[in-house]
Each structure stands twice: as C-alpha cells, then as structure tokens.
Amino acid sequence: MALAPRLDLRQSQSLVMTPQLQQAIKLLTLSNLELETFISDEIEKNPLLDTGELSTEGGEANDSEERPSEAAAQGSDEILSSGPSESEASLDMEGHTDSFTNNSLSESDGALDGQLGLNGASSGSGATGEAPDFENMLVAEITLTDHLMDQAGAVLSGMDLFVAQHIIDQIDECGYLQTDLLELAQRLNVGLVDVERILAVVQTLDPVGVGARNLAECLALQATDADRYDPAMARLIDNLDLLARGALPQLKRICNVDDEDLMDMISELRNYDPKPGCKIGGGAVQSVVPDVFIAERANRWIIEVNSATLPKVLVNRSYYSELKDGAQDKQSKDWLNECLADANWLVKALDQRQRTIVKVATEIVKQQEEFFRKGVAHLRPLTLKNIAEKIEMHESTVSRVTSNKYLSCSRGTFELKYFFTSGIQSSTGGEAASAEAVKSHIKTLIDDEDPKKILSDDKLVALLNAKGFDIARRTVAKYREALGMGSSVQRRRQKALEGKTG
C-alpha cells in the first residue's frame, strides 16, 4: 500500500474546564479573608469593578448583568448558566435566602452569644456601615529577642554585647539556646571561655530560665533564682527521667531525702516554667474569622454568610458608558467588552459562592441539629457524600466549600470539616455514633474516675458498651491517645503524685 498524506475529519467529545469554571472552583476553596485579597487584585486589574454603592443613571444599577439573579444555589459547574434556576427552601431560614445582609445575626436583637457584631449595621462603626478594623487595634507585641537585647544593653557593652546579641539570636521562642557554644565561638573568633561567661550573663536576664540548653538546666536556673538549688534538688533535676517514670523510691535513695522532703521538692519543680520564653512576645496573633454564622431564634435556625469581611463588588456601568462612547479602535473595544464580561461573571460567581456555602451549611445544621442543641456528645457520623446527595451537588464541590472555612455558633467556632466524622456502630443495633462523641464519653469517664480505681482500657470498653457503643479495645486506646491522656499505669502514677503533693 502506498503511503500518502490525506485529510480526515473526526468527531469526539471531551470534558473541558473553561478558565471561568476553573476560577469558580477556586473561589469555593477560598476563605473570606483569602477571597478579600483575591477581590482586591481583581479590582486593580479591572477598571469596571468597584466596591460599595454606585450612583448610576437610568436605573442601570438594577441591570440583571450587574446584580446576579436572585436564584437558588447551583453547583460550581452551573455558574456560567444564564437560565433561571429553581427556588429552594432552606432550613428554617429567617427572612429570605436571597439576602445575606437583611435580618442578619449581627443586626438582630441579642446577637450570637460570645460573638462580636461583625456585620456593619451593628458594629458601632457609625454611618459608614463598615465593621471596625480590629486588626488595626492590635498592638505589636515585643519579641523575646527584643526583650533580652534591651536588658543585655544595660549590663554589657562593646565586644561582650556583640557576642550576647549572637547568643540571643540563637534562642528560640521557648527560651532555649539552639546552638553549640564551641561552634559559635569559632564563628565569632572569640574564646570559648568568653562565650560561656557571656552566656552566664544572658541566663540571668528576665524571664528566669532563658538561655538554657536543656530542660534540666532551665529548671536549675529557676531553682537557683528561688534559692532552692541545694544538692538534693540538683540530684533530682539530674534525674528527671526517673521522675517522669514515677520511680519515687529510687529518687529518695539518690537524693537521700524522706517522703515529705521529696514531695516538697517535686511540688517546687511543678511551680517552675519549662518554657520561660513563651511568657514574652511570640508570633503574630492569628485570629479565626468565621465564614458562617448560625444561631437559633424562637426554635428557628438563622444561617448567614459573614459578609463583613467581603467588600460589595459592583459593575461601574456609568464608567463603562463613558469609555464606550469615546473614540476607540477595535482592540480597545474588545478589551472593554472583555472587562465587562469578566466583571459581570465575578459578581455572579461571588453571589453563587455565598449561596453554595449557605446551602451546605444549612444541610450540616439539618444533619447535626442535636449537636447545636445538646453538645458534642450528640454529634452524628457524617460524610461529604451524605451532604452531596442531599443538596444534589458533587462530593468534590462540598469538599471545596468546607475547606478553610469556619462556622460560629453559640457553642463556639468550628471548622466545617469538624462535622464530618466516622461512625461507631451501636451495640444495640441503633443509630451509629460519631467518633467525636465517643471521644467525649471517654474523656468524661477518665476525668470522673476514682484516683484509687483507675480505669483500664478494658474497663473503658465495658463502660462504653454499656452506653451502647460497639467499640474495640484498640480503638479506645487510639482515641485516648488522641485526647492526650495516658494509659492506666501512667494516670495512676500521676494521680499518686498529685494526691501526695496536694
């Protein structure tokens, strides 16, 4: 057969994600604070985007392209659809689901317990309608390095202060020196004796115990400052591993003290701070800003997106008209039309994002209503698939909505992912219980146990089975360790120490 070039026509189907759809999916994963940064960048790039209320002529502010259709939430793959969507009823929503500012939680009488009024109308910020900028009210905390350098400058000078600065730079946030003195001496080209001498001066600075190279040295510095560093205390500090294991008879022999003196020394150690540097400064405070507010009013659930952290994005149609009427070439007109299309899409996508978040949060409240009313012990097992099936969205969409977002209710602030937990089957054949609920029961049992009758893991299994949880011993051990609680042997020793020192 002869080889020759030829043209073929083939028809095929493929799934292609448009750039706008990719951007819509990205918007779902962003928290409110991240979205605020994204919007600011878009406003800088697009001259037709603006924030706040715009004074437009001829009723252009009511244009359907500028203000997205007040319709029910759709999946992210339907954001670009121009057709009308079906209306939906939410879970005991007060007011209408198409408004995220009217009748808001922060505007209603008796806002969320323990919550600040984050919406503009109730923030007390005046007629601007904006929430107060709490971040600007924060006073920058002094760092541990600055705190130590201020003190070192008062007692050292010249070359000694230079070496002290390098030593302080190697002290971590907990107050421990994280470098080898010999290596530091070689790097600075000074004698090791001089470095050790200056370190001794640094170790006298506030807070007491700073500059130590290990826990034993940190406690020794604090004992010296309290005038309690006698030979017996020194031997006790040198054998902290025995103290951790609860080997009290062996410690008595090493320290050559009786029971009363040993308990007094242990009680003294308990008063020392193993991380003295944490008292001073630290990193910047990272506050959690909730993305969704939930509250109960007259047996009705109010669910609202926190709009205080999001600027109101509008399309500046008056500016668009001015630019459109001017003399322009084809390239400029194409660019202007592209900016208008991008602006309209962004406004619609942001509105759609809010609706999707409310839709998911509403279903979470439906599924976990007992948690919001009675607490963590009543948390039900829940998966992303359960929510996706109820609201007729894809599981990946629900996953994106619940990522990096927080829910604020009367019980506190929780990450949306918190409500999705595995289940423990009921031993009586009833409904399965959430793993978090089982952890809550384990913690309650251990907290309430008799110091003279410490509960073993087998005993915990028996008690949980009596409560209707079909759980294995290894699962109890895993949950107990996740809660930061020791084994029965460790707790028995801890209770013994606390009982004798109390």
Side-chain angles (χ1 to χ4, degrees):
M1 179 181 294
L3 298 178
R6 66 178 183 178
L7 295 176
D8 289 334
L9 293 178
R10 295 183 181 180
Q11 186 176 11
S12 63
Q13 290 182 336
S14 62
L15 180 63
V16 178
M17 295 181 63
T18 64
Q20 287 185 323
L21 180 56
Q22 294 178 21
Q23 194 68 268
I25 292 176
K26 179 182 177 181
L27 290 180
L28 284 178
T29 62
L30 300 180
S31 65
N32 275 8
L33 296 182
E34 294 170 332
L35 187 61
E36 184 178 8
T37 302
F38 171 81
I39 292 175
S40 299
D41 294 339
E42 290 297 317
I43 291 176
E44 290 182 2
K45 293 187 296 183
N46 195 330
L48 299 183
L49 284 175
D50 206 342
T51 58
E53 297 292 342
L54 299 175
S55 57
T56 57
E57 299 179 359
E60 289 178 328
N62 294 324
D63 190 282
S64 60
E65 288 183 332
E66 177 182 341
R67 301 184 62 86
S69 173
E70 305 294 341
Q74 305 169 1
S76 60
D77 55 344
E78 299 177 16
I79 284 182
L80 303 179
S81 173
S82 59
S85 57
E86 299 178 0
S87 60
E88 63 179 13
S90 61
L91 172 64
D92 289 334
M93 290 290 290
E94 193 170 279
H96 300 286
T97 59
D98 59 356
S99 174
F100 297 99
T101 55
N102 295 333
N103 297 326
S104 65
L105 297 181
S106 54
E107 292 175 355
S108 60
D109 294 333
L112 269 176
D113 296 336
Q115 296 295 332
L116 295 170
L118 295 180
N119 254 350
S122 64
S123 63
S125 57
T128 61
E130 295 181 356
D133 190 355
F134 294 108
E135 293 183 0
N136 290 338
M137 300 179 186
L138 295 176
V139 179
E141 294 185 358
I142 185 172
T143 64
L144 178 61
T145 300
D146 294 337
H147 181 68
L148 294 176
M149 281 304 303
D150 289 343
Q151 299 175 73
V155 296
L156 297 173
S157 61
M159 189 61 182
D160 287 353
L161 182 59
F162 174 76
V163 175
Q165 179 178 1
H166 281 78
I167 292 176
I168 292 173
D169 286 341
Q170 298 300 319
I171 294 177
D172 64 14
E173 60 182 9
C174 295
Y176 289 90
L177 184 63
Q178 298 295 329
T179 188
D180 181 71
L181 292 185
L182 179 59
E183 179 184 346
L184 181 62
Q186 293 174 347
R187 187 166 68 248
L188 299 179
N189 197 23
V190 297
L192 178 60
V193 175
D194 292 331
V195 175
E196 292 176 341
R197 174 178 57 83
I198 297 172
L199 174 61
V201 176
V202 172
Q203 290 177 342
T204 62
L205 303 179
D206 178 73
V208 180
V210 73
R213 285 157 284 188
N214 51 57
L215 177 60
E217 186 176 13
C218 179
L219 297 178
L221 290 172
Q222 296 180 62
T224 302
D225 182 75
D227 197 21
R228 288 296 304 271
Y229 195 65
D230 52 32
M233 178 65 79
R235 286 191 288 269
L236 177 61
I237 292 176
D238 290 338
N239 293 275
L240 292 177
D241 56 332
L242 296 178
L243 180 60
R245 296 203 302 265
L248 302 186
Q250 191 173 351
L251 282 174
K252 285 194 298 181
R253 292 194 300 269
I254 293 175
C255 300
N256 194 23
V257 295
D258 57 18
D259 289 341
E260 183 178 355
D261 289 339
L262 180 61
M263 292 305 132
D264 181 63
M265 293 162 58
I266 294 175
S267 178
E268 180 72 18
L269 284 184
R270 290 180 185 276
N271 294 327
Y272 297 158
D273 189 353
K275 297 180 179 180
C278 293
K279 296 179 181 178
I280 308 297
V285 178
Q286 299 293 333
S287 59
V288 173
V289 178
D291 298 270
V292 181
F293 292 120
I294 292 180
E296 186 179 14
R297 296 288 181 267
N299 295 323
R300 295 164 60 89
W301 292 108
I302 307 174
I303 304 171
E304 177 190 347
V305 171
N306 180 12
S307 59
T309 56
L310 293 177
K312 188 175 182 180
V313 182
L314 298 174
V315 180
N316 194 335
R317 288 192 163 276
S318 60
Y319 187 51
Y320 169 74
S321 299
E322 293 177 6
L323 295 178
K324 185 178 180 181
D325 294 339
Q328 301 172 347
D329 55 20
K330 183 178 183 302
Q331 184 178 2
S332 298
K333 290 182 179 180
D334 292 342
W335 173 81
L336 185 60
N337 291 332
E338 183 180 350
C339 287
L340 179 62
D342 290 343
N344 286 329
W345 170 84
L346 180 60
V347 173
K348 183 176 181 180
L350 291 175
D351 180 79
Q352 190 65 59
R353 174 185 179 273
Q354 287 184 307
R355 298 177 184 283
T356 305
I357 292 175
V358 169
K359 196 172 186 179
V360 173
T362 297
E363 189 59 35
I364 288 177
V365 175
K366 281 184 180 180
Q367 300 293 332
Q368 302 289 5
E369 186 172 4
E370 290 299 306
F371 164 82
F372 292 102
R373 294 185 185 277
K374 301 178 182 179
V376 67
H378 298 271
L379 196 65
R380 297 175 52 193
L382 186 64
T383 63
L384 296 173
K385 185 178 181 180
N386 297 144
I387 297 294
E389 291 177 349
K390 292 290 185 179
I391 63 178
E392 297 181 352
M393 287 185 177
H394 195 273
E395 188 175 342
S396 62
T397 302
V398 178
S399 177
R400 294 184 181 99
V401 169
T402 55
S403 297
N404 303 317
K405 296 181 183 64
Y406 292 84
L407 176 152
S408 178
C409 62
S410 60
R411 298 192 175 277
T413 301
F414 303 87
E415 189 176 9
L416 289 181
K417 292 286 189 183
Y418 174 81
F419 299 98
F420 298 91
T421 61
S422 58
I424 301 296
Q425 294 300 320
S426 172
S427 58
T428 59
E431 186 178 1
S434 167
E436 290 295 327
V438 176
K439 288 181 182 179
S440 176
H441 284 284
I442 292 175
K443 185 177 186 303
T444 301
L445 290 173
I446 293 179
D447 289 342
D448 297 340
E449 67 185 356
D450 188 342
K452 297 181 180 179
K453 296 180 179 179
I454 301 299
L455 301 176
S456 65
D457 289 346
D458 290 328
K459 183 62 176 177
L460 289 173
V461 170
L463 293 175
L464 291 171
N465 286 337
K467 291 178 176 286
F469 302 117
D470 185 10
I471 189 170
R473 182 183 182 279
R474 62 179 179 276
T475 306
V476 170
K478 181 179 70 174
Y479 287 172
R480 174 178 52 74
E481 292 171 358
L483 292 169
M485 296 180 168
S487 64
S488 58
V489 175
Q490 293 172 328
R491 299 201 308 276
R492 185 175 293 107
R493 288 173 178 170
Q494 183 68 20
K495 297 282 187 181
L497 289 175
E498 294 176 353
K500 291 182 179 178
T501 57

